[in-house]
Amino acid sequence: MIMVTLKLALKNILGAGLRTWLNVIILSIAFVAIIFTQGFIEGMGNAIVNDMQEMLYGGGQYWHEKYDPQNPLTIDGSHGELAPKMKNMINNDKMVPILIRSGSIYVNGNSQVIQIKGIKPEQNVIELPSEHLNTESEYIPAILGSRMADKVNLKENDQATIRWRDKDGTFDAADIEVVHIMHTSVQAIDNGQIWISISKLRSMMELGDEATLTILPQGIEAPNIVASQWLYKSPDVLLQDIQNMLKTKTAGSMFMYIVLLAMGLLAIFDTQVLAIFRRKKEIGTLIALGMTRRQTILLFTIEGALHGVLGLIVGAVYGIPAFAWIANKGIKLPDMMDQFGFALSARLYPSFGLKLLLMTTLLVLGSVTIVSFLPTRRIARLEPTEALQGRGK
Amino acid sequence: MAIIETVGIAKRYPMGKRKFTALRDIDLKIEKGEFTGIVGPSGSGKTTLLNIIGALDHPSEGSATVLGKKVESLSHKDAARLRNQRLGFIFQTYNLLPVYTVYENVELPLLLLKMNKEKRRELVETALKRVGILDKIDSKPAQLSGGERQRVSVARAMVKEPDLVLADEPTANLDVANSHNILNMMLELNRELETTFLFATHDEKVMRYLRRQITLTDGRITEDIEKEPEPVSPEEV
Ligand SMILES: Nc1ncnc2c1ncn2[C@@H]1O[C@H](COP(=O)(O)OP(=O)(O)OP(=O)(O)O)[C@@H](O)[C@H]1O
Ligand SMILES: [Mg+2]
């Protein structure tokens, strides 16, 4: 019976012509737009998480117990001696230490508070281009992020004076030379900071083998460091804030496609109500020919639901090549995206996962079937004799 | 056993506070192979009676046995099955489905009977040949004349070779020539297949073909006569 009903339903909606295709096109757009938006956001999330890990979080970090990234005022008191096991790992390039101290930078007579971050130039643990710190220079070689460089108006090979207090509180100053400007999506290694060699920073501060935090390479298991002042932070813990932010963004973007889908559903609902109103005589005829009311309801529900199926097919026809192309080529993002709240790599690769495709398909088909069914319930109240005359409620 | 037997059928419709009686005391027996018409003025209850016999409506009182089934106590599903398997309907307004072709319209009852494709094609073509419209097999109803549409609807009613065909004013929208054509065709089918025909009509042309004529007046049977049919041959038209 289902096959017969399906066949009749398909004939009916194809016979309805333009109206059917209008509904189908609206639904296909909603379908494609939902997948695109979700894929875009997912791709954005992946890119952010990926960049954060590559550039900063690695396979997790060990924090000095006093280190609190939210509170820059305590930064100068948040470092300590590395444990022997850590030193060992650092020598084997299985860990990189970062020392953070506060200071200020003078450019054109203006001063600005900064964090001076020391890193081992030869490290391979994170992708921060620390090797530039080995550049020959009369001054202290320094790396700046592009945002910071813009802010203090420095270009490569420019010099500037930095000032700091050493561990005993004595002021000192020296000149740096910008040996490299890095373009990165990760603001946490860019805004308000400069990067120099960790050994240089230690000698400037008159510190020994100290660090504020250390970073593990991705994919290695965190060793057990038996030193109470070093606290392990897993990548998941480090990424928690960013993940929460992404969730909020996703929820915000849902609104747009719920509106889109609602438009499609409204069109279907309207079509169904109209169809049942206008096709009463047809319903009566079908009942006279031997259909039960239940079959008639099934027929009309399937007709409505088929709009959803056709919408998926039409959407797939133009959506799949478009998605494949975009996922492959990526999307060039305008710089504006930086103000949008996320700093992103220049090209974004949306991610269209199977889960996303399946969930969206189910969402579209499910909701279309429900709105198709709702108006058909009035068929159950129709008297066949009245329906045959095109009358009845 | 009679194909149709009604005992004391009455049909009342609520009309404001009182009830309007459309049918009363209908006792009727129709045997297999009859070519019978219910006639009477407009509003006399012809359609109402036909609908009750066709299991599309319930009597307020009394009982109707159609092809061995008590229609007033059939479930929805059983009523649908009775209509699907054993009854054919012909309507004044043809009631063809506009998006289907002639073939598909006639095929529909067979689809509901879950018949296989070859059998369906064979039966549809036979039915269309009988009503002489095989050449329009792929047309849509909108492309046909009124007479052609009614022939398609006769083919749709006859395709499953039902025991009983109920035809409500089948000629009301047809001109004289087409009316006689359709009636001759139905008489032919009645003779050839022994299909029982029951008409509801006030068309004099139809009455000429009837072998039995039951007159309804104000919902009551006032006359029930047998007569010789006087068909009009195609040449006369
Ligand atoms: N659903 C209904 N509600 C109220 N009254 C109805 C209903 N259906 C039919 N009637 C009334 O019952 C009476 C008989 O109607 P019916 O349609 O059976 O007449 P008919 O003999 O077929 O007339 P016609 O020749 O005009 O088709 C009419 O007076 C009609 O108004
Ligand atoms: Mg009538």
Side-chain angles (χ1 to χ4, degrees):
Chain A
M1 200 61 226
I2 280 281
M3 280 317 289
V4 171
T5 316
L6 208 69
K7 211 171 135 182
L8 298 180
L10 193 65
K11 264 187 222 165
N12 285 344
I13 68 165
L14 294 181
L18 193 63
R19 191 174 175 95
T20 297
W21 292 113
L22 260 152
N23 289 333
V24 166
I25 286 166
I26 294 178
L27 282 177
S28 82
I29 292 172
F31 178 58
V32 168
I34 289 169
I35 290 179
F36 181 77
T37 319
Q38 288 305 94
F40 184 85
I41 289 170
E42 211 163 299
M44 187 157 79
N46 290 348
I48 289 166
V49 166
N50 195 42
D51 285 4
M52 292 293 276
Q53 282 204 272
E54 279 180 354
M55 299 300 269
L56 185 60
Y57 291 155
Q61 297 182 339
Y62 288 90
W63 288 7
H64 185 267
E65 57 182 349
K66 298 249 175 65
Y67 176 51
D68 175 9
Q70 309 299 330
N71 188 356
L73 295 176
T74 62
I75 197 73
D76 285 345
S78 313
H79 47 76
E81 188 78 22
L82 292 163
K85 197 168 182 180
M86 296 170 113
K87 290 185 193 170
N88 201 6
M89 291 178 75
I90 289 164
N91 289 335
N92 293 325
D93 206 20
K94 288 282 189 305
M95 184 180 267
V96 60
I98 310 281
L99 175 63
I100 309 177
R101 294 282 301 192
S102 58
S104 44
I105 188 164
Y106 287 82
V107 186
N108 300 332
N110 295 319
S111 91
Q112 195 196 324
V113 175
I114 56 168
Q115 287 189 347
I116 309 167
K117 295 190 173 175
I119 186 170
K120 191 175 162 191
E122 297 81 12
Q123 64 85 27
N124 287 306
V125 173
I126 53 175
E127 293 192 0
L128 196 141
S130 53
E131 69 279 2
H132 292 281
L133 297 174
N134 279 336
T135 310
E136 288 288 326
S137 171
E138 301 171 44
Y139 311 101
I140 303 169
I143 298 173
L144 272 66
S146 52
R147 295 178 195 78
M148 179 66 180
D150 277 352
K151 190 153 184 215
V152 295
N153 206 9
L154 286 173
K155 292 181 284 297
E156 265 177 38
N157 304 321
D158 285 355
Q159 287 103 41
T161 303
I162 58 169
R163 208 162 165 253
W164 68 90
R165 282 174 199 254
D166 70 16
K167 77 165 197 286
D168 303 318
T170 316
F171 274 107
D172 205 345
D175 285 345
I176 58 157
E177 177 179 347
V178 180
V179 292
H180 181 69
I181 290 176
M182 56 185 175
H183 294 269
T184 170
S185 66
V186 184
Q187 297 186 7
I189 60 167
D190 182 333
N191 287 337
Q193 55 194 284
I194 68 169
W195 292 82
I196 65 173
S197 154
I198 192 166
S199 51
K200 184 71 203 167
L201 184 58
R202 282 170 180 160
S203 71
M204 279 156 60
M205 300 296 160
E206 301 188 351
L207 290 168
D209 249 357
E210 296 202 13
T212 308
L213 57 97
T214 70
I215 307 173
L216 288 168
Q218 282 191 59
I220 84 156
E221 201 163 317
N224 190 18
I225 307 287
V226 255
S228 59
Q229 61 174 335
W230 294 103
L231 309 173
Y232 176 64
K233 306 278 174 185
S234 70
D236 287 346
V237 169
L238 294 167
L239 286 166
Q240 202 159 41
D241 282 355
I242 211 95
Q243 299 281 29
N244 287 341
M245 187 153 72
L246 284 170
K247 276 204 193 99
T248 337
K249 290 273 169 201
T250 314
S253 70
M254 296 274 264
F255 177 76
M256 185 185 105
Y257 75 64
I258 288 198
V259 169
L260 257 164
L261 186 61
M263 263 170 54
L265 294 180
L266 208 67
I268 298 293
F269 188 81
D270 186 53
T271 304
Q272 290 290 91
V273 171
L274 205 71
I276 288 160
F277 180 78
R278 283 199 311 208
R279 290 164 63 192
K280 280 201 191 107
K281 202 163 165 180
E282 184 178 328
I283 294 169
T285 307
L286 290 172
I287 290 175
L289 290 180
M291 264 201 184
T292 59
R293 284 200 276 217
R294 194 187 285 253
Q295 283 167 354
T296 326
I297 287 174
L298 184 68
L299 174 68
F300 277 75
T301 305
I302 291 180
E303 281 185 25
L306 274 178
H307 287 96
V309 174
L310 290 180
L312 294 185
I313 293 171
V314 170
V317 164
Y318 64 80
I320 288 174
F323 292 150
W325 189 78
I326 292 170
N328 185 34
K329 290 265 175 192
I331 301 167
K332 172 125 180 54
L333 292 175
D335 295 340
M336 194 186 80
M337 288 302 281
D338 218 41
Q339 287 130 38
F340 182 65
F342 293 128
L344 289 166
S345 359
R347 272 197 175 275
L348 182 76
Y349 295 88
S351 150
F352 305 110
L354 193 64
K355 189 178 157 213
L356 170 65
L357 295 177
L358 282 179
M359 293 296 285
T360 317
T361 304
L362 280 181
L363 176 77
V364 172
L365 282 187
S367 54
V368 168
T369 307
I370 290 168
V371 298
S372 302
F373 168 69
L374 291 177
T376 63
R377 288 172 311 164
R378 68 175 48 209
I379 294 176
R381 294 197 299 263
L382 214 53
E383 284 299 329
T385 50
E386 301 205 311
L388 268 172
Q389 290 166 356
R391 289 193 284 120
K393 296 167 277 311
Chain B
M1 204 177 79
I3 272 198
I4 301 169
E5 181 162 7
T6 72
V7 181
I9 281 189
K11 179 75 183 178
R12 284 184 282 273
Y13 293 108
M15 224 175 75
K17 281 204 181 114
R18 292 189 299 141
K19 292 214 162 172
F20 172 78
T21 303
L23 288 176
R24 70 188 88 196
D25 305 330
I26 305 291
D27 297 319
L28 193 63
K29 225 180 208 177
I30 290 176
E31 303 292 336
K32 181 175 166 63
E34 283 195 25
F35 201 79
T36 296
I38 301 164
V39 305
S42 184
S44 55
K46 306 183 292 291
T47 298
T48 308
L49 181 55
L50 219 59
N51 283 340
I52 290 171
I53 291 168
L56 290 167
D57 205 353
H58 289 282
S60 311
E61 229 173 71
S63 162
T65 307
V66 177
L67 297 159
K69 308 257 189 262
K70 275 200 185 309
V71 291
E72 69 276 7
S73 49
L74 287 179
S75 67
H76 261 302
K77 209 171 160 181
D78 289 336
R81 185 175 301 147
L82 174 70
R83 288 193 295 268
N84 185 19
Q85 294 177 344
R86 309 194 63 184
L87 303 186
F89 287 86
I90 297 170
F91 305 98
Q92 175 179 346
T93 50
Y94 327 129
N95 293 22
L96 300 176
L97 304 183
V99 303
Y100 298 179
T101 62
V102 165
Y103 181 86
E104 291 164 343
N105 264 288
V106 178
E107 186 193 28
L108 190 58
L110 306 181
L111 276 175
L112 297 179
L113 283 169
K114 302 184 190 114
M115 219 171 256
N116 73 44
K117 200 175 171 124
E118 290 75 50
K119 184 91 180 143
R120 290 201 308 263
R121 175 152 283 276
E122 188 191 316
L123 289 178
V124 172
E125 283 176 358
T126 309
L128 288 174
K129 216 175 285 168
R130 279 196 188 120
V131 300
I133 201 161
L134 196 57
D135 54 325
K136 299 283 165 102
I137 193 160
D138 292 321
S139 304
K140 292 274 173 73
Q143 299 166 312
L144 303 178
S145 71
E148 289 169 330
R149 285 183 213 181
Q150 196 58 304
R151 285 194 225 184
V152 176
S153 93
V154 172
R156 181 176 65 185
M158 295 301 302
V159 69
K160 59 195 172 190
E161 304 194 351
D163 299 284
L164 172 63
V165 170
L166 301 170
D168 193 356
E169 310 280 10
T171 56
N173 286 325
L174 299 178
D175 60 22
V176 179
N178 273 312
S179 296
H180 286 295
N181 269 329
I182 288 276
L183 286 162
N184 274 306
M185 224 169 57
M186 294 202 258
L187 200 56
E188 180 69 32
L189 290 166
N190 165 259
R191 286 193 187 120
E192 193 183 322
L193 306 169
E194 286 188 81
T195 311
T196 311
F197 278 78
L198 182 60
F199 294 87
T201 187
H202 49 224
D203 182 353
E204 305 276 347
K205 297 190 289 299
V206 178
M207 293 178 203
R208 297 183 65 137
Y209 289 74
L210 301 177
R211 285 198 294 269
R212 179 178 169 195
Q213 184 169 311
I214 300 162
T215 309
L216 276 187
T217 316
D218 290 336
R220 229 190 284 264
I221 297 178
T222 51
E223 193 183 48
D224 186 346
I225 53 164
E226 310 230 339
K227 60 192 198 57
E228 268 312 301
E230 308 163 64
V232 178
S233 72
E235 298 85 64
E236 285 174 69
V237 187

